[in-house]
Amino acid sequence: MQMRPAGSTSDRPSQVAADSSACNQRALTSKANENVLLRPTLKREPSLADRFDHALFNAIYSRALVYNTCWEDPAVDRQALALGSGDTLLAITSAGCNVLDYALLAPKRIHAVDANPRQNALLELKMAGIRHLGFDDFFAMFGEGVHPDVRRLYREHLRPALSPFARGWWDKRLGWFEQRGASFYFHGLSGFVARAFRAYFRARPRLGEAVHEFLDAGCVGEQRAIYDERIAPRLWTREVNWALSRQLTMSLLGVPYPQRKLVEKQHPEGIPGFIREAVEYVSRTLPIAHNYFWRVYVTGRYSRDCCPEYLKPAQFAALKAGLVDRIEVHTCMLTDFLRAHDGRISRFVLLDHMDWMSSYYPQALAEEWAAIFEKAAPGARILLRSAHSRPPYLDRTRVGASGPILAERLHFRHQLARDLQQHDRVHTYPGFVIADVAA
């Protein structure tokens, strides 16, 4: 569960920034605007706990790369989206992994939008690597998370293709790819939490050994037995449950206070119980051999047999051959992008950012939906994730003072969402919504 707030030519430094046009100009005109998520005005008076936890999340989010990899399963999204060659997709960037995955389906255009410029800087670096590096160097950086010659590759091949912000960000952080035994995937906020759990496993050798044997299990039956007999009894300790129940831990994972409260209202054992339930479902039901999401946070690297699609040789070649040029990167709020965009959008991947917007910025959420409906193509499909099995904002947010609630303007594909969620390899979102814009 994680919150998120024109195809470029490779010979021009960061056309990804130029293509963002008016959207980026509004979002990046001042240092303060790096916190564009914080602009809307609250419609209700927050409690002291609200204010403290919101301030903590903002202090962390506004200065950091939050997500070093995506934790939404694109295999599920592919089936839900049914992308075609004529589709234009808007997706929140996050770590960019899934944007690259969607590009492999060759839609007409993908607009990757994120209010956090550091997340877009990561996607820019990946796009530059696809255009300018060979596969082995690219996999070393983003598959293994370590490359001994990264500074030369960056200076000669990658840096010239980045936007000014991305250059400034990565100029200071190439060390993330140099620390053997640490890995890029142990950096950033979510990487910090992964590193803490790696230290926990190392401090408990029997648990750590069991976890690594679990990752190498040959079938679901074998992995289930290892989990039930050797992992679960040692993993879910009082210390782990305490750490998972802290808002600081959730903030490092990109989960703001409102999402935490949504989970706590639904699960009798709170956040620790919810996470344990998710881990048990994945561990006992889905093949771990293909689950690169959990593997990378335990080991700090992908393997060539267990990795996102963009890290596979044939798919890398397809992106390099031109599919990566269908991606445009925009640093701004979704509403700002949609208002500035001239065309129609037929597919939306909006992740879970509406959970916290509905709590803190309900008017901004209504404005965002108004912009979505204005620019949505007839029959456009929208994917949402939520910390609630039925996101409450769908039944209370109105577009316009006297307009219908969202639930009346959307046609929900409940059965499809339920069927697909059973195969979700991450499984940390109680709510997965597939909805079509009603005619």
Side-chain angles (χ1 to χ4, degrees), residues 154-231:
Y154 178 75
R155 182 179 64 254
E156 296 180 4
H157 302 293
L158 304 179
R159 192 178 189 275
L162 301 179
S163 66
F165 180 91
R167 288 177 191 167
W169 177 256
W170 292 116
D171 284 354
K172 301 174 183 178
R173 291 168 178 82
L174 292 180
W176 288 5
F177 295 94
E178 291 181 312
Q179 301 174 22
R180 183 159 296 279
S183 164
F184 165 73
Y185 293 106
F186 287 136
H187 292 278
L189 296 187
S190 53
F192 178 85
V193 176
R195 193 159 69 247
F197 272 95
R198 182 184 63 161
Y200 183 81
F201 293 150
R202 286 180 172 178
R204 291 156 178 78
R206 294 173 67 188
L207 174 59
E209 179 183 337
V211 168
H212 285 280
E213 289 185 22
F214 169 82
L215 293 175
D216 292 333
C219 66
V220 172
E222 181 183 356
Q223 72 186 48
R224 184 186 301 122
I226 294 173
Y227 176 81
D228 288 347
E229 297 168 14
R230 300 172 56 195
I231 295 178

Side-chain angles (χ1 to χ4, degrees), residues 230-269:
R230 300 172 56 195
I231 295 178
R234 297 186 177 102
L235 177 59
W236 305 111
T237 64
R238 181 180 300 175
E239 294 81 7
V240 168
N241 290 336
W242 180 88
L244 292 175
S245 66
R246 300 304 96 187
Q247 182 57 43
L248 175 60
T249 306
M250 293 296 100
S251 294
L252 290 172
L253 289 171
V255 180
Y257 182 69
Q259 282 192 315
R260 172 185 158 195
K261 300 307 291 183
L262 281 175
V263 172
E264 289 175 345
K265 288 178 181 178
Q266 297 177 90
H267 203 288
E269 297 179 46

